[in-house]
Structures are given as C-alpha cells and as structure tokens.
C-alpha cells in the first residue's frame, strides 16, 4: 500500500501526509494499522516519533486498493486513545496540528482547548498544547499543562516524557528567576529513572548541570546523549556545549538564527562570527524609531570600517509601508523584514525600538529599548567595549594558530621547553 510514495507496511519508512488544509507534515512511522474500511478506501492510524521521545498519531484515508493481507476486521482495530477520540474532537485535533505545522501557535491552542473540552484525558492533546505554549514563551501555562499531562498518562515511558517536559519549562522559568534550577534537574532525573532510554532527558540534564557550573557531570550526560543518539536533532548542540560549556550559561545567538536582507543576502551566525553585531528592531509607524535614525546613521558610518555590522529588522505587518519608508529615509545598511515575527520571538522583543548587541563570539551582551539619548549613548559605549574585546580575541587566536617557532620569538627570554621543535631553548 502506497501513501505519497512510501510503503506503510515497511517499518522505519518516513512519509508525508496532507492535513486537509493545504499544509503537510512528515513523520517516521514504525506502525500503521488499517482499522476500518470506507467506501472511499481505508483509514490508517499511524504513529510518529517526536524529538522529545513522545509519539503522536495521525489519521489517513487511503484510497489505493488494500493489500490482500490487510487487517480490516473490527477485532484488529487500533485501540489506543487516539483511535477512540470522538469525530468532532478529531477534527479539532487535526486543525490544531495543521496550525502547529504552519507556526500559528495561538490558533493551535484554541483548537486543542476544544479537544480537551470534549476529551479531557486525551494525552496527545496535552502534549501538543505544551509545545504550542512553549513556542509562544508562555512557559507558566506550558508547565501547568505538562503537569496535567503527567496526571493523565498511565505508563512509565509516558510519565518520563511528561517529567522531561516539566523540567524544560521549569528551566525556562528559572532563566527569568521565577523558579530554581535544582527543580528542573530533579524532573530530568525522574524522567531518566522511569525511562533510562530517553536520550533527550540526558541532553536536558547535561545542559542544566552546565548552567549550574557542574561541567564534569554535565559533559558526562551530554556524552551519554551522543552515545544514544549520535545523529539526534540536538547532537550539534551537544558537541558545541561539550566544546564550550559557557554556551549553557550565557545567551548565545540561537543556532537557527537566520535572515534574508532586502538585497537578498542570507545571514547566519557563521556569517557574522568575529563581528560585533547590532540588531535594530523597528517599524515604519514608530516615531521613536524614526528619531533614532541619526544615531544609527552615525554608528554605521563611524564603525563601518571595523568589525561591526548593523542590521535593521522591520516588524511592519505592511511590507509596502516598510519599502516606502526605506526609499525615503536612506537607510544604507542591511535591512530585513520579520514577516512572521520569528526573530522577535527568538530575541524576546516586546517593544520597539529595541536594540540587541551581539559580541564577536556570538553572545548576546545587551538589550536597550527606547530612543532617548541615554539609551543611544549606552549602545555606543557597549559597541566600543565589545570591539576592543573582539580585537583582543583576534590577537589571542593569531598567537594560538601561529607556528611553534613564531610563538617562541614572542616569549621574552626565549623558550625553555626541552622538546621545543623551534630549537630556541635558553639556559
């Protein structure tokens, strides 16, 4: 039986499905059960595995001829809670998943709430609701929902998933000083006690321990994650944290940060590495933003020859208004348009104008909001300070990468290492 070109009878085959609204999703389906037949074809229940160790179910109507060994009798129906979801609730659930797939998390939350009004113990809905709240940084609601998920699940593996999610949300709240990191650590350990095979809990525990400056323990957990999931979705992050545990304790630019400028240039963290970057969040209708333009023009012209990059990011809903403003105000530095508000969520921008300063190592060093002279002076002082630090980093990197003989020459008094290949030992 083929669904979008994939054989659902073969475990381990990924394939796409259509949610019915023009959007699609992809999953990895080790199980597929034909549990009933209709005049149009066969309805499948397929189970997908998510990155956090959880599973989710989707319903597919397949119009291809059924295989001769298809199990269609009522006795072979999938008896999971997903199969028992009432039709009305299933419609809400499918619309909620579709909204999640489009990144419309507020809409998804509304759909999932409708599901829970009909089926208050439907675990898969609580799981999706946690993810939706978390995407909107509504971590308090996400935590409450994860705790409800823990109440309704009945097996240790699912309880482990719930404890892991609770830990994730506590960690997010701890970052804002609203909870203690030890509580997040406790939840991750509970998850691993219930299900030691849950790789993502090892990653989360490792990162949490690094935040507590317990680097040796944290690195051990991250190595355990890599042993269990060498190609996992967090493998690169695990390697980065092991290489530089500071990444867990300081706010680095997210790895998925990317934007396309008005001139078509694609910018990622790798492209700006070694530079001091100022992100300017603004809008064409914002008078304080317009008032800040002379200072931004000064910064662009004064520091353009140094390792400094200014990028203005418009939050305009109306793209034409953005384009008109640019053409009349001569903003000559790189410009980008945050059409889907992704960058605003990524950097937690809640007001405009907001400026985010990123140092040469990719660490977010400061935020400033408002166009007053004090704010602008603060920004320029921070730029100067971070440009000096960037210069020191470049000199240090140059020394570390220099040949051994060249290094010896800059050591006052010569090299005393007996095994030095440069041959410049002194008595």
């Amino acid at each position: 039986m083929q669904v979008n070109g994939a054989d659902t009878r073969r475990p381990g085959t990924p394939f796409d499905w259509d949610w019915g609204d023009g959007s699609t999703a992809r999953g990895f389906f080790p199980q597929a059960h034909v549990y009933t037949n209709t005049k149009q074809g066969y309805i499948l229940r397929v189970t997908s595995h998510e990155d956090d160790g959880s599973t989710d179910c989707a319903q597919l109507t397949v119009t291809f001829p059924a295989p001769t060994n298809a199990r269609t009798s009522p006795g072979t129906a999938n008896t999971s809670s997903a199969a028992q979801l009432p039709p009305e609730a299933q419609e809400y659930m499918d619309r909620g998943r579709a909204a999640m797939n489009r990144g419309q998390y507020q809409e998804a939350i509304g759909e999932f709430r409708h599901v829970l009004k009909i089926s208050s113990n439907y675990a898969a809905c609580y799981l999706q609701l946690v993810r939706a709240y978390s995407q909107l940084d509504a971590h308090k609601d996400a935590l409450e929902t994860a705790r409800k998920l823990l109440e309704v699940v009945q097996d240790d593996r699912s309880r482990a998933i719930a404890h892991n999610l609770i830990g994730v949300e506590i960690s997010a709240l701890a970052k804002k000083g609203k909870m203690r990191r030890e509580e997040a650590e406790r939840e991750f350990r509970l998850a691993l006690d219930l299900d030691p095979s849950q790789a993502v809990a090892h990653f989360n525990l490792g990162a949490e321990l690094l935040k507590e400056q317990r680097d040796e323990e944290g690195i051990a957990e991250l190595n355990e994650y890599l042993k269990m999931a060498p190609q996992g979705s967090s493998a690169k992050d695990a390697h980065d944290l092991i290489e530089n545990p500071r990444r867990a304790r300081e706010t680095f630019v997210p790895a998925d940060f990317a934007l396309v400028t008005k001139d078509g240039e694609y910018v990622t963290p790798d492209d700006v590495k070694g530079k001091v970057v100022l992100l300017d969040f603004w809008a064409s209708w914002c008078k304080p933003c317009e008032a800040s333009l002379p200072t931004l023009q000064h910064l662009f012209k004064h520091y353009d020859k140094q390792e400094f990059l200014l990028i203005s990011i418009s939050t305009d809903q109306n793209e034409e208004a953005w384009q008109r403003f640019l053409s009349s105000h001569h903003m000559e530095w790189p410009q980008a348009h945050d059409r889907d508000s992704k960058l605003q969520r990524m950097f937690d921008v809640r007001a405009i104008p907001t400026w985010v300063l990123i140092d040469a190592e990719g660490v977010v060093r400061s935020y400033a909001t408002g166009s007053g002279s004090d704010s602008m002076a603060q920004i320029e002082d921070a730029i100067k300070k971070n440009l000096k630090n960037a210069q020191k980093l470049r000199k240090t990197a140059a020394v570390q990468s220099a040949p051994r003989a060249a290094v010896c020459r800059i050591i006052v008094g010569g090299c005393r290492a007996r095994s030095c290949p440069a041959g410049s030992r002194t008595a």
Side-chain angles (χ1 to χ4, degrees), residues 259-265 267 277-282 289-304 308-314 322 325-326 329-337 355 376:
L259 58 82
V260 179
T261 68
K262 181 175 177 289
D263 295 330
E265 183 182 3
V267 180
V277 181
L278 181 65
L279 301 180
D280 161 44
F281 288 88
W282 68 287
C289 300
E290 188 172 0
S292 70
L293 281 178
T295 302
L296 294 175
Q297 289 165 344
H298 159 73
L299 295 175
F300 172 66
K301 292 177 181 178
H302 189 72
Y303 298 102
D304 185 45
F308 172 71
L309 178 62
L310 169 62
I311 304 176
S312 287
I313 302 171
S314 169
W322 171 56
F325 191 95
L326 290 181
H329 286 77
H330 308 293
M331 298 168 70
E332 300 171 2
W333 55 92
Q335 304 291 325
H337 186 206
W355 296 279
M376 305 312 290

Side-chain angles (χ1 to χ4, degrees), residues 339-357:
R339 293 177 178 82
D340 56 4
S341 302
K342 180 179 179 181
L343 296 173
Q344 295 166 71
R345 291 194 297 271
M346 185 177 288
F347 290 97
D348 197 26
V349 174
R350 301 176 183 273
I352 54 171
T354 289
W355 296 279
V356 181
L357 186 68

Side-chain angles (χ1 to χ4, degrees), residues 387-408:
L387 283 172
K388 287 180 181 178
N389 291 338
Q391 189 175 18
K392 291 177 183 177
L393 285 171
R394 285 195 297 275
K395 288 180 179 179
T396 302
V399 170
Q400 291 175 344
S401 62
R404 290 292 298 271
V407 173
C408 288

Side-chain angles (χ1 to χ4, degrees), residues 13 27 33 80-81 118 158 160 183 214 219 221 225 227 231 244 246 281 309-310 348 375 379-380 385 407-408 412 416:
T13 303
H33 301 288
S80 69
S81 61
I118 300 169
S158 297
E183 296 177 73
R214 294 157 63 185
I219 288 171
E221 291 294 336
Y225 167 79
K227 186 191 305 182
Q231 304 300 321
N244 183 6
R246 278 179 52 210
F281 288 88
L309 178 62
L310 169 62
D348 197 26
S375 295
I379 291 169
E380 185 161 13
K385 177 182 176 181
V407 173
C408 288
V412 176
R416 290 177 170 79

